[in-house]
Amino acid sequence: MAEGGKQRVSISIIGLPESGKTTFLAALWELVNERRIAKVLSFDSIGENDHSYLRKIVTVWRRATEQARTRLTGLSAVRMNLKDGDGNVVEVVMPDAPGEDFRAMWEDRELGRVLGESLAGGNIMLLVNGNKIKPPAWVTERAAQRRATGRQKTQALPKEWHPSLAPTQVQLVDLLQLISHAPVGRAGRRIVVMISAWDKVEGERLTPDTFLAAKLPLLAQYLEAGRDGWTSRVYGVSAQGGEYDGNDANSEPAEGEGPMKKTQKRRDANRLREVDIPANRIRLVLGERESNDLTEPLQWLMR
Amino acid sequence: MANALSRDRIRVDQALHGYSEGHRLINGSLKLPQPDARTMLVLSDASASGSRIPLGGYLTGYPLSESGKYVLARTWAAPEMSRPGCVWTHSLLIDFADLARLGSAVGLLKCFQRPAGGGGSGFASRLEVEVTRISTAVPPPDLGRVGRWVSALYGKPRSRIIAEREGPDDDGLVVAIWMQQWPRLRRAFRFCSFAADDRSTSADVFDLQLMDAGRSSRPRIPEGVIASAVERGDWVDTLLDDLKLPARSDLRQFLRDVGSDVTSGRAAMVPLVHLHVALEPNAGPLRLADAISELDRLGSAQGRMGRAAAARVVLSRLDLDDARLFDFALQQVRADRDLLGIEPAIVGRALLRWKPYLLADGLTHEDPLYRAVEAALPQVDTDDLVAVIEAVPGAAAAVLSSRRDVLERASFWRVTSIDAFSLIRSLDADQDHSALIVRALAEAGRDDSSQVVVERFGIGPVVTALSGMDVAGIRSRMGWVRAIAQRTNELAEGMVDGRLSHRPLLLILAEILDPDAVPNSVGTDPWVAAVERTRTTDDVSAEDLLAAFLFNRARGWRSESTGRLFFLSVQRLHEALASERLTSEAWRIAKQRLPYGSVWRDWDQCEKLRHAVVDNFINRELPPIEFGTVVDDGNLWKELVDLAADSSRGRRYLDKVRTALRDGHKRWWIERAELIDRKVT
């Protein structure tokens, strides 16, 4: 991939709806623009893309406000050039696709051309909201629960199956398999699994690796088995650093109507806003180690 | 009742999109194919992130081509949901066919329902929507803005149009513009009454988007055209008049009629509006020609119905005296098997008026104009058809194939370029019709064709034709009389069977025929049969000549009815000779067969006549009763008896006459028998 001494790497950030992709992107942009914080990759230059989108999501992030849903239309491919300590310049290209597009790959077996092309070659950053994992229902656990509580097995009403009912890990493994094979992509790439909202799940005292093995065993085993040649790492990330305020964007006065009451502010958000350097709110966990350098997983993916 | 319901209502599917771990379909009454479901998912999402969605929501309209449905959707902000940027969108899915039935979208707009309490129930069944046929009017204060919008929409038909949204009423204005369109455009029209970004995709371009007025005035649609920046066309007023008072305008119906085959979308609006204006009764040909060429610029495959409407007007309006327009109209109808739905007779009449030479070129059955001409010909005035033939003689065959009555016009036969002989030989007409043709030929002075006519049809039609004329008329058409005079066998048949029973014609025939010419092989002499069917005319000289003719025939060898011929001729001829009124022509006929008289009485032609009659009766032993009744005049009869009594053979014959008269039981017969008694005893 060397091109005139410059390494060109494509990294795709993917994840189901509400996995924290936009927040991660906003935090990354804030971080690389913050000179006061040391990081393995620093900002070099911006690529050809709509800066206003990055500015907008960063503004929301700085206010410690929840990002609005990324709309289904208006996919903004964000490009930025970062450089490492040795002066190598790398171009990071990240499609900021709505989570619905990734879900559609599982539920509808449908993939848009633009997203397909961006997923074809580069390495992958898979965001998984640790707080919203739809866990598998273990038959043995249910049986043990019934024995312990002395409840009888109740006859469940038959329910029509829909792809959306599938466990999160099933959806994710399928997603990775899809982008490991033609015509979408290729096998043998690096992947970082980012367990987002880590601040909400760290109470379980698991490392990101063990969290993945415990909560998403199918995904962990799929990556470990190496059938599609993935080389993986698992991080925990709290890209916003705590619980945010709701977003006022939708609560502004409607046409022909007076101002609505402000969304109730959360205490955590006030705390976050008091942090001097907003980028310091970021928390990144790898094994037992913790930092705020979101560029580290990117550096690893560049190799 | 059920029928009445289905006529006034349409069934509409619905869907609710909203937030449930991402924006998705919450509930719906219809399962759509994947690409359409995807389109709906995308377009049901918020039209702009971070914008203040109006309290009452906004409208989006777009087609789902695979499903054949049009979506009219209302989107509301959903601040009650856990995540910012969420919306509710209630979509109505209308069949393309049903969309065409709507005069206004009032019924649809009433159906929109924002889900309450985050629930999506009540959206799983189809809706029944009343069909509102009366169009909704745009209030006059809004016409200025709407005028700018339509000006841009149709003035820049390939651009995505942007206008500023001012308030909730704008939804109704956009819908009014949409409903003004003809069904095909209506079902392809994409609009959104509130947007911040361009909602178009690479495949589907939004036609009209109202931008959030609260946002930056700089449009975020690079290719977008701002409505207010577009110059206003002369056609805008027509559209606005219709929007202001739809009930008084026929524009929508016109657009509906002519827009059905226009696939060029908004680009067709201006040409169609121009055409509508140009088709008004007071618009001149120039305007219509301009409108047509404008329509032509859309492409040859476009606007067939528009062309048809123009062609119909061109073909049916007699005041549009413009050959160029007619050429256009003809080209249109000729390219279509169904003549563009125009009544064939209208096309045909115009064709006869403008391009009669096409008939001469020989239209084939495959040519749509063939049917047009065929339909028009029976309706066109005969004199007009003759005029066509006069101008284009080659058209005669085509005209005559359906209008035989043209042959009955003298004016037709006066057309010098007509090859009358060939035409007559080719005719296959019945007797009545051929008589009318002969009359026309005769009236046209085409005596030269009499021979051919008689060869083709026999003497029947000529006799019929001549039988309608008086002596002078017949005499002026001697060519025809001579033509039939040559066919003596047919004359004999006609005289016997009664077809030739017109006294004037008999009089003229007597002038030119040889008294022996008409055969009398069996039965009554044809001349006797014919003359006895007719009554004596006032034409003394002609009647005298006929008498001379019949006397001559009686004296000849041809007749089997000599006695009757004497009966029909002798008395009158005797009177004529006695009064010396006989014309030289009649005398020439009579004298041929008068016997020579005694030298000293050679001057007494009457005596010769009496001798001739008496000699004939006696020598040929003609039926005695015929002698007994040969003349009405008693004195003349007495003289005949005197002559007969001069010889013994004569007296024997008179005896038979006496017997025959006595058998008659008529008074005057008995008297004549008694006279013979006195003579022969």
Side-chain angles (χ1 to χ4, degrees):
Chain A
M1 282 270 209
E3 192 182 284
K6 185 177 169 186
Q7 194 181 6
R8 183 184 290 265
V9 175
S10 165
I11 294 171
S12 298
I13 297 177
I14 65 174
L16 295 173
E18 298 181 63
S19 54
K21 300 180 292 296
T22 307
T23 305
F24 178 83
L25 195 59
L28 177 65
W29 182 241
E30 173 71 19
L31 181 70
V32 297
N33 283 292
E34 178 54 75
R35 295 176 189 282
R36 292 172 288 181
I37 292 181
K39 48 211 171 273
V40 291
L41 298 176
S42 58
F43 179 68
D44 180 65
S45 60
I46 187 84
E48 288 175 13
N49 59 77
D50 184 3
H51 298 193
S52 65
Y53 175 68
L54 279 169
R55 277 202 304 277
K56 189 170 76 185
I57 62 174
V58 166
T59 308
V60 172
W61 183 85
R62 280 188 197 139
R63 289 205 309 249
T65 306
E66 191 178 5
Q67 291 290 347
R69 279 188 51 244
T70 304
R71 284 191 300 129
L72 294 169
T73 48
L75 173 82
S76 311
V78 177
R79 294 156 194 269
M80 61 177 88
N81 296 323
L82 303 178
K83 60 187 174 190
D84 64 12
D86 298 332
N88 289 326
V89 177
V90 293
E91 187 184 50
V92 184
V93 182
M94 289 175 288
D96 185 29
E100 284 85 345
D101 279 0
F102 295 106
R103 191 177 58 195
M105 289 171 71
W106 158 253
E107 291 185 10
D108 306 327
R109 321 306 289 171
E110 185 186 74
L111 175 62
R113 189 177 55 78
V114 176
L115 181 58
E117 281 170 3
S118 74
L119 294 176
N123 288 335
I124 299 295
M125 175 174 280
L126 172 65
L127 278 143
V128 181
N129 189 331
N131 198 31
K132 291 199 173 174
I133 292 169
K134 201 179 285 172
W138 303 112
V139 177
T140 51
E141 282 180 7
R142 294 260 168 99
Q145 276 178 354
R146 276 202 305 275
R147 276 196 302 276
T149 56
R151 276 190 291 126
Q152 291 297 307
K153 186 180 179 183
T154 53
Q155 188 71 38
L157 287 171
K159 188 176 180 183
E160 198 182 344
W161 187 81
H162 186 269
S164 64
L165 299 172
T168 307
Q169 59 176 350
V170 172
Q171 299 188 30
L172 293 176
V173 168
D174 181 73
L175 185 62
L176 294 182
Q177 283 183 330
L178 281 175
I179 63 172
S180 301
H181 299 287
V184 180
R186 60 175 180 86
R189 288 183 280 174
R190 286 187 167 224
I191 181 168
V192 161
V193 179
M194 286 282 206
I195 312 291
S196 64
W198 185 253
D199 54 304
K200 296 220 176 129
V201 299
E202 64 185 348
E204 297 195 34
R205 299 182 184 283
L206 297 168
T207 64
D209 283 316
T210 51
F211 180 89
L212 186 75
K215 305 291 183 186
L216 302 162
L218 179 70
L219 176 60
Q221 288 165 40
Y222 165 74
L223 293 172
E224 194 181 340
R227 185 171 169 272
D228 294 322
W230 293 107
T231 306
S232 65
R233 253 191 189 188
V234 185
Y235 286 87
V237 66
S238 174
Q240 53 191 32
E243 197 155 340
Y244 273 14
D245 280 342
N247 188 315
D248 288 344
N250 273 16
S251 313
E252 286 182 37
E255 197 174 82
E257 193 193 49
M260 286 173 71
K261 66 177 171 39
K262 281 278 180 190
T263 313
Q264 195 174 2
K265 297 284 187 287
R266 293 167 183 149
R267 270 187 309 168
D268 213 15
N270 286 333
R271 179 183 61 75
L272 291 172
R273 277 190 286 271
E274 284 161 10
V275 175
D276 280 349
I277 302 171
N280 278 334
R281 285 160 24 194
I282 300 165
R283 293 173 61 214
L284 183 75
V285 179
L286 175 67
E288 300 290 337
R289 193 162 55 83
E290 184 172 330
S291 75
N292 59 7
D293 187 1
L294 286 183
T295 66
E296 188 200 311
L298 295 171
Q299 187 203 34
W300 184 79
L301 284 171
M302 282 172 200
R303 289 186 201 153
Chain B
M1 190 66 187
N3 282 342
L5 262 181
S6 64
R7 264 205 312 278
D8 298 323
R9 291 170 180 273
I10 54 170
R11 288 190 179 277
V12 170
D13 279 295
Q14 56 174 336
L16 178 72
H17 286 79
Y19 186 79
S20 171
E21 291 184 6
H23 183 74
R24 59 161 79 212
L25 174 68
I26 306 289
N27 211 341
S29 64
L30 175 71
K31 182 154 176 58
L32 290 170
Q34 197 62 45
D36 284 347
R38 174 76 189 155
T39 303
M40 263 193 99
L41 185 68
V42 171
L43 290 178
S44 63
D45 202 357
S47 62
S49 61
S51 276
R52 291 175 301 165
I53 293 179
L55 179 64
Y58 62 86
L59 293 175
T60 308
Y62 55 95
L64 297 176
S65 50
E66 198 161 311
S67 312
K69 292 188 183 289
Y70 190 90
V71 180
L72 181 65
R74 192 176 276 290
T75 302
W76 299 267
E80 70 271 32
M81 301 309 287
S82 60
R83 226 152 162 226
C86 296
V87 293
W88 293 116
T89 295
H90 184 197
S91 302
L92 304 175
L93 294 96
I94 311 128
D95 265 356
F96 281 165
D98 287 338
L99 191 63
R101 293 172 57 195
L102 297 175
S104 122
V106 169
L108 296 172
L109 295 174
K110 280 182 191 162
C111 292
F112 287 125
Q113 188 191 342
R114 188 189 189 284
S121 59
F123 293 91
S125 57
R126 299 180 86 189
L127 295 169
E128 213 170 63
V129 180
E130 199 170 336
V131 173
T132 321
R133 294 190 195 282
I134 300 160
S135 308
T136 314
V138 170
D142 291 324
L143 284 172
R145 293 179 68 220
V146 171
R148 286 192 288 279
W149 298 356
V150 295
S151 197
L153 266 176
Y154 307 124
K156 300 276 181 194
R158 268 165 267 286
S159 302
R160 40 194 89 173
I161 306 304
I162 309 157
E164 195 171 278
R165 180 183 170 100
E166 288 187 0
D169 291 344
D170 288 3
D171 287 353
L173 303 183
V174 174
V175 168
I177 290 173
W178 177 49
M179 277 290 138
Q180 189 182 37
Q181 297 167 344
W182 59 92
R184 198 170 189 139
L185 177 58
R186 190 187 282 185
R187 72 185 194 214
F189 192 65
R190 288 182 174 80
F191 64 88
C192 181
S193 66
F194 176 87
D197 302 312
D198 188 5
R199 306 201 72 189
S200 308
T201 62
S202 54
D204 302 322
V205 170
F206 262 73
D207 297 277
L208 177 62
Q209 298 175 83
L210 299 190
M211 306 304 277
D212 178 5
R215 296 178 72 91
S216 145
S217 58
R218 184 172 59 87
R220 309 228 324 244
I221 304 178
E223 301 101 303
V225 167
I226 301 168
S228 53
V230 177
E231 203 177 321
R232 186 184 167 105
D234 60 343
W235 40 270
V236 173
D237 285 339
T238 309
L239 286 171
L240 289 183
D241 288 346
D242 175 81
L243 285 167
K244 188 168 71 177
L245 293 167
R248 283 202 206 157
S249 162
D250 59 352
L251 177 68
R252 280 176 214 228
Q253 188 56 47
F254 174 78
L255 292 176
R256 177 179 280 264
D257 293 344
V258 303
S260 59
D261 62 344
V262 175
T263 55
S264 47
R266 281 152 50 198
M269 182 61 95
V270 178
L272 292 185
V273 169
H274 277 153
L275 183 64
H276 177 254
V277 174
L279 291 180
E280 282 170 7
N282 54 355
L286 198 63
R287 193 159 204 172
L288 187 54
D290 286 347
I292 287 167
S293 52
E294 204 179 333
L295 196 64
D296 275 344
R297 285 199 287 276
L298 290 178
S300 57
Q302 297 287 305
R304 181 176 158 271
M305 297 311 291
R307 286 186 180 81
R312 190 177 294 117
V313 166
V314 170
L315 295 174
S316 47
R317 257 176 60 185
L318 294 174
D319 61 314
L320 283 175
D321 208 8
D322 187 297
R324 230 170 14 123
L325 283 178
F326 179 75
D327 280 346
F328 153 82
L330 188 66
Q331 205 183 338
Q332 297 309 311
V333 293
R334 202 171 194 178
D336 183 75
R337 281 198 71 75
D338 297 330
L339 300 167
L340 299 170
I342 304 174
E343 198 184 317
I346 292 177
V347 179
R349 276 201 296 275
L351 184 80
L352 289 169
R353 179 177 165 221
W354 288 99
K355 293 258 177 265
Y357 67 80
L358 280 177
L359 272 70
D361 293 349
L363 294 169
T364 60
H365 284 269
E366 290 75 36
D367 195 322
L369 295 182
Y370 179 85
R371 198 159 57 87
V373 171
E374 219 176 29
L377 279 176
Q379 303 176 1
V380 179
D381 185 74
T382 320
D383 290 336
D384 291 344
L385 289 178
V386 173
V388 165
I389 292 168
E390 199 162 14
V392 185
V399 171
L400 293 175
S401 67
S402 70
R403 288 295 296 270
R404 312 288 285 178
D405 58 325
V406 169
L407 297 167
E408 298 163 11
R409 293 292 168 127
S411 53
F412 169 75
W413 295 106
R414 282 194 197 101
V415 176
T416 48
S417 50
I418 294 291
D419 181 354
F421 291 6
S422 301
L423 182 55
I424 291 164
R425 286 194 184 102
S426 70
L427 290 177
D428 179 21
D430 57 61
Q431 290 290 302
D432 290 346
H433 186 60
S434 48
L436 295 170
I437 293 173
V438 170
R439 186 180 294 164
L441 279 162
E443 194 183 331
R446 294 301 303 261
D447 290 10
D448 56 335
S449 61
S450 57
Q451 204 66 40
V452 182
V453 169
V454 171
E455 279 168 18
R456 176 72 189 82
F457 300 110
I459 64 161
V462 182
V463 168
T464 309
L466 295 175
S467 297
M469 303 176 193
D470 60 10
V471 170
I474 296 171
R475 193 164 276 136
S476 69
R477 294 177 175 88
M478 285 309 288
W480 295 94
V481 183
R482 285 195 192 92
I484 60 169
Q486 291 170 4
R487 318 278 280 201
T488 48
N489 286 332
E490 286 175 55
L491 283 177
E493 282 173 32
M495 288 169 163
V496 170
D497 65 23
R499 279 178 292 142
L500 208 171
S501 56
H502 184 55
R503 187 84 173 195
L505 180 57
L506 292 173
L507 296 176
I508 304 295
L509 280 172
E511 285 175 12
I512 60 166
L513 274 174
D514 183 271
D516 293 328
V518 175
N520 177 205
S521 41
V522 285
T524 310
D525 185 300
W527 273 103
V528 172
V531 172
E532 283 187 341
R533 279 202 190 88
T534 60
R535 295 173 64 181
T536 311
T537 66
D538 296 335
D539 189 337
V540 176
S541 56
E543 289 291 340
D544 288 348
L545 187 141
L546 178 64
F549 177 89
L550 295 176
F551 171 77
N552 188 314
R553 183 171 174 82
R555 290 274 289 159
W557 49 271
R558 200 79 197 239
S559 180
E560 299 290 326
S561 309
T562 310
R564 302 272 294 280
L565 283 172
F566 282 135
F567 167 73
L568 292 171
S569 61
V570 168
Q571 183 169 316
R572 180 167 193 112
L573 186 58
H574 194 267
E575 281 169 19
L577 289 170
S579 60
E580 294 182 349
R581 71 170 189 238
L582 208 59
T583 61
S584 59
E585 185 60 24
W587 170 239
R588 191 184 57 77
I589 296 168
K591 78 173 182 187
Q592 289 170 10
R593 286 182 173 163
L594 283 176
Y596 298 110
S598 57
V599 178
W600 53 94
R601 291 180 65 87
D602 191 43
W603 51 270
D604 189 354
Q605 305 303 340
C606 291
E607 191 181 325
K608 287 183 189 174
L609 176 67
R610 293 195 295 274
H611 271 292
V613 173
V614 171
D615 288 351
N616 265 74
F617 272 99
I618 296 167
N619 294 339
R620 295 195 195 177
E621 294 190 345
L622 299 178
I625 188 63
E626 288 182 359
F627 182 87
T629 57
V630 69
V631 289
D632 291 338
D633 181 354
N635 292 329
L636 177 57
W637 192 75
K638 190 166 170 288
E639 284 181 88
L640 292 175
V641 171
D642 287 344
L643 271 178
D646 283 349
S647 67
S648 57
R649 198 168 161 220
R651 285 194 294 276
R652 281 198 299 278
Y653 182 76
L654 282 177
D655 192 37
K656 290 176 188 169
V657 172
R658 179 174 54 186
T659 309
L661 286 169
R662 280 199 175 128
D663 289 345
H665 306 296
K666 287 182 186 168
R667 178 75 196 142
W668 64 279
W669 285 24
I670 304 296
E671 283 171 5
R672 287 195 173 183
E674 286 166 0
L675 181 77
I676 295 172
D677 282 344
R678 289 193 288 275
K679 282 283 171 197
V680 297
T681 48

